[in-house]
Amino acid sequence: MNKLSLLLVAVSVSINAFCQEVKENKGFYQFLTDDPNQKPFYSDRQGVVASNGMVASAHPEASKVGIDILKKGGNATDAAVAVQFALAVVHPSAGNIGGGGFFVYRTRKGKNYTLDFREKAPLKGHKDMYLDAKGDVIPGLSLTGHLASGVPGSVDGMVEVHKKFGNLPWNMLLQPAIDLAEKGVILTAKEATGLNRIKNDLLKVNSDTTYFRLPDGREWKAGDLLVQKDLGKTLRRIQEKGRAGFYEGETAALLVAEMERGKGFITDEDLNQYHSAWRTPLVGQYKDYKLITMPPVSSGGVALLQLLKFVEPYPLKRWGWHADSTIQVMIEAERRVYADRAKFLGDPDFVKVPVRELISPDYLKQRWEDFDFNKASESKVVKGGYIPTYESLETTHFSIVDKEGNAVSVTTTLNGGYGSRVVVKGAGFFMNNEMDDFSIKPGVPNMFGLIGSEANAIAPSKRMLSSMTPTIVEKGKKLYMVVGTPGGSTIITSVFQTILNVLEHGMTMQESVNAFKFHHQWLPDKTTFESGAFTEGVIQRLQSRGYILEMQRNTIGRMDCILVRPDGTLEGGSDPRGDDTSVGY
Ligand code: GLY
């Protein structure tokens, strides 16, 4: 072949590649041409690309801590432990030692592990603990104050992770968080606003000496320094004694004294008995991709696999991103999945959760039989009997990949922003209000107009149902993507969309995070969407088929994700909706 022929072949290959690209992205452009002025992204933020390691988390300081640990020879799990403790300092609204979470891990050799360090109901907890003498729900009791807390799991979880997989010494992993607590953290505008929002609650449930409230109720502003001396001391005890530095000794005594002061239920016995649990990872397949995700007491893993299986037969790629047909099958999948969630999901140590059945092809086929493209299904006739418990948007997620290719996906939470608003006196950290993730009165609407189910009723030492969905995706037996987000019940649908945006719509990691999102959770029977997510044409077509659509003022999701690009480099995608930041090296 002469030089000219070679050139022609090369040109033709590249033209074909280009045509292929345009064709493959047809739906995406279809969205744009429906209204060429409408952008599908919340922001134009670009992904962070690096070769040796990546940390994507809710706060730039926490991501820097994770990268420093990787650079010092730590693996992804070492970095995860350090990031978890750093977030407890720099992101007190959701980062925590007084809460719990889930850890999903894929080793570079493809072995998978999941750790459940979700909080538990105290031993004194019972079904009626939030009801008055008439059996009515006492508003706010499961949300604010001492009774709202479950027994924290985060410290035990991190100890377990380190014991099994850690490479660097434990004390090294605590030091960055201790430094941040003792030297102080510069508040971002979002953290300052958050602390100002809770200043009255802080006063109501604490003595007024907590450092999260400025004297005389003055307002925090971006750039202020938040020093947390008591938290520094607590972290030093954990650094020195590991698990015993939290669940025994001085920290435990301070926590129990705080509970006694506020008539909370958590005792020494609760703290002694708390242990996180290694669970068998939930693994599923979507086309050529393998998903490794969290089993119950997360509802998220089961729901994600169901959602993907429901939409798998449809040509989403050809239809296009947020084309009406694409949205329609996703909404109908979400409707059915959230109905199942409440009927069947709860703590597997207490109730039988039929996981295999819920994700089996026969079951899903039968659930889809009443789907009709001409008309929206109605939630009141979709079987299930579920109404999700209220879950706040204040949780946090981080994703880490190290230079060996070990990958960690962790979602952790206090539940509501700053949890129960109770700061343990002398120990300086927020306690969770995770008890509200139980059905506080099964079968009856709670204060948010939502109903819970018997499977998720309170019982001593039981774990409350969660939507947290930390997930890892493999392609061709290799690591492909690490995904997760806070967002209460919207966690599941945000993870679902973020995965499909990459797998089906050819988006980069950051584009997928930036992309506008929508959410349906069976009841209430409506689809909420971020402003800009749907074009006018799409809205009209969906409404004509009976869909109730509601644009919401708030954003959906705070994704922190990592994608392995074809050349093996890592792309960190962190959500521009928050302070979230990816740092790589
Ligand atoms: N508290 C949020 C969740 O666990 O889903």
Side-chain angles (χ1 to χ4, degrees):
M1 212 184 273
N2 62 26
K3 272 190 187 163
L4 181 64
S5 325
L6 270 175
L7 185 69
L8 285 175
V9 169
V11 168
S12 125
V13 166
S14 84
I15 287 173
N16 278 340
F18 177 70
C19 290
Q20 183 69 12
E21 189 69 20
V22 172
K23 200 165 110 232
E24 291 304 312
N25 278 318
K26 192 171 147 220
F28 188 65
Y29 291 103
Q30 178 188 321
F31 171 85
L32 293 175
T33 50
D34 199 69
D35 179 352
N37 298 319
Q38 196 165 338
K39 281 189 173 183
F41 300 122
Y42 176 83
S43 108
D44 293 332
R45 182 188 275 199
Q46 299 291 305
V48 172
V49 177
S51 303
N52 292 315
M54 184 69 64
V55 180
S57 88
H59 198 284
E61 290 296 335
S63 295
K64 275 191 230 151
V65 164
I67 280 296
D68 283 347
I69 293 292
L70 293 182
K71 284 184 180 165
K72 284 176 181 152
N75 61 30
T77 67
D78 292 311
V81 172
V83 169
Q84 171 77 26
F85 285 114
L87 282 170
V89 181
V90 300
H91 186 45
S93 60
N96 68 81
I97 55 173
F102 301 133
F103 164 91
V104 177
Y105 180 44
R106 180 189 184 277
T107 70
R108 70 195 162 89
K109 293 192 172 151
K111 286 194 83 175
N112 310 318
Y113 301 87
T114 50
L115 181 70
D116 173 352
F117 57 98
R118 181 77 162 158
E119 303 92 323
K120 286 181 168 193
L123 290 163
K124 282 193 218 154
H126 56 89
K127 256 166 88 162
D128 300 335
M129 63 186 279
Y130 300 113
L131 307 184
D132 65 16
K134 284 195 259 156
D136 296 329
V137 172
I138 303 168
L141 203 58
S142 63
L143 285 168
T144 311
H146 297 70
L147 263 190
S149 296
V151 185
S154 292
V155 175
D156 186 75
M158 293 307 103
V159 170
E160 279 296 314
V161 165
H162 183 255
K163 212 161 56 184
K164 205 168 168 83
F165 299 113
N167 192 23
L168 295 183
W170 174 252
N171 65 349
M172 251 177 98
L173 308 182
L174 269 290
Q175 196 56 48
I178 293 170
D179 292 341
L180 286 163
E182 292 179 348
K183 292 182 187 146
V185 192
I186 310 265
L187 289 183
T188 66
K190 287 194 170 69
E191 289 290 356
T193 306
L195 286 171
N196 292 335
R197 185 166 47 83
I198 62 159
K199 70 181 182 190
N200 292 337
D201 278 352
L202 281 174
L203 203 53
K204 227 184 306 168
V205 297
N206 296 291
S207 61
D208 64 353
T209 53
T210 153
Y211 39 56
F212 294 109
R213 189 175 193 278
L214 284 170
D216 309 323
R218 274 187 287 117
E219 298 268 297
W220 290 101
K221 52 187 185 331
D224 283 347
L225 190 71
L226 174 66
V227 179
Q228 301 170 71
K229 290 274 189 231
D230 287 343
L231 178 56
K233 286 186 211 150
T234 302
L235 291 169
R236 280 189 184 279
R237 288 191 290 274
I238 298 169
Q239 184 184 43
E240 196 189 327
K241 299 190 173 115
R243 187 194 138 86
F246 185 85
Y247 295 90
E248 297 169 33
E250 188 171 348
T251 312
L254 290 167
L255 203 163
V256 172
E258 181 64 55
M259 285 290 137
E260 282 167 2
R261 186 170 26 249
K263 299 194 170 51
F265 280 178
I266 299 173
T267 62
D268 275 322
E269 201 186 348
D270 282 307
L271 295 175
N272 272 322
Q273 283 191 10
Y274 183 88
H275 285 286
S276 40
W278 290 100
R279 308 263 184 213
T280 305
L282 185 60
V283 175
Q285 198 75 22
Y286 174 77
K287 297 186 175 173
D288 294 336
Y289 302 90
K290 178 168 146 187
L291 289 107
I292 303 143
T293 187
M294 197 67 209
V297 72
S298 166
S299 62
V302 175
L304 179 65
L305 298 189
Q306 287 188 300
L307 287 169
L308 288 168
K309 280 290 163 200
F310 273 137
V311 303
E312 193 174 33
Y314 294 99
L316 302 187
K317 188 177 197 157
R318 182 159 58 75
W319 286 342
W321 182 85
H322 287 201
D324 45 337
S325 312
T326 305
I327 296 164
Q328 194 171 356
V329 295
M330 289 169 75
I331 291 175
E332 294 300 346
E334 289 170 9
R335 187 195 309 281
R336 286 157 180 79
V337 164
Y338 277 80
D340 279 352
R341 176 192 187 271
K343 183 161 182 190
F344 300 109
L345 274 287
D347 183 345
D349 294 340
F350 283 73
V351 290
K352 181 167 168 15
V353 185
V355 174
R356 287 292 135 214
E357 291 83 345
L358 285 168
I359 57 176
S360 79
D362 287 349
Y363 175 77
L364 294 171
K365 193 165 159 236
Q366 166 242 313
R367 292 287 281 153
W368 202 248
E369 269 163 8
D370 57 350
F371 170 71
D372 178 357
F373 257 121
N374 297 314
K375 196 169 164 296
S377 299
E378 283 182 82
S379 288
K380 65 174 188 277
V381 297
V382 168
K383 288 182 204 134
Y386 158 74
I387 303 187
T389 48
Y390 167 80
E391 288 165 294
S392 132
L393 305 185
E394 301 284 350
T395 293
T396 190
H397 175 85
F398 56 91
S399 298
I400 300 178
V401 178
D402 65 23
K403 69 171 187 296
E404 308 285 342
N406 300 299
V408 168
S409 184
V410 172
T411 314
T412 179
T413 186
L414 289 168
N415 193 23
Y418 309 94
S420 65
R421 315 285 161 84
V422 171
V423 181
V424 177
K425 193 175 164 97
F429 62 89
F430 280 106
M431 286 295 290
N432 67 82
N433 60 351
E434 219 72 61
M435 292 297 284
D436 197 64
D437 271 354
F438 279 117
S439 311
I440 57 174
K441 187 175 180 188
V444 170
N446 70 7
M447 64 185 290
F448 304 98
L450 301 171
I451 302 170
S453 77
E454 201 56 50
N456 189 32
I458 303 171
S461 285
K462 187 176 174 184
R463 289 182 159 99
M464 53 297 279
L465 189 59
S466 172
S467 298
M468 295 188 288
T469 316
T471 298
I472 295 176
V473 183
E474 262 181 29
K475 183 183 178 186
K477 299 206 162 103
K478 291 199 174 126
L479 175 68
Y480 187 57
M481 196 168 17
V482 188
V483 195
T485 184
S489 56
T490 68
I491 290 175
I492 300 166
T493 50
S494 297
V495 168
F496 175 48
Q497 290 168 83
T498 303
I499 290 174
L500 287 181
N501 287 344
V502 175
L503 269 42
E504 293 292 343
H505 304 297
M507 292 190 196
T508 65
M509 192 72 264
Q510 187 64 52
E511 282 174 339
S512 176
V513 168
N514 293 347
F516 289 122
K517 306 212 163 45
F518 65 92
H519 174 70
H520 192 289
Q521 60 175 42
W522 186 51
L523 289 172
D525 191 349
K526 65 179 180 190
T527 303
T528 50
F529 62 98
E530 289 185 301
S531 164
F534 302 158
T535 62
E536 273 310 312
V538 161
I539 291 172
Q540 278 163 22
R541 287 193 287 279
L542 287 171
Q543 283 174 335
S544 73
R545 280 169 231 160
Y547 288 93
I548 298 163
L549 307 175
E550 188 179 287
M551 189 170 83
Q552 65 172 57
R553 273 191 300 133
N554 296 336
T555 53
I556 300 178
R558 294 272 191 289
M559 312 292 311
D560 280 295
C561 311
I562 300 173
L563 181 73
V564 182
R565 306 194 322 161
D567 63 1
T569 55
L570 304 168
E571 183 197 355
S574 283
D575 213 312
R577 295 163 181 84
D579 294 327
D580 305 60
T581 307
S582 289
V583 179
Y585 85 109

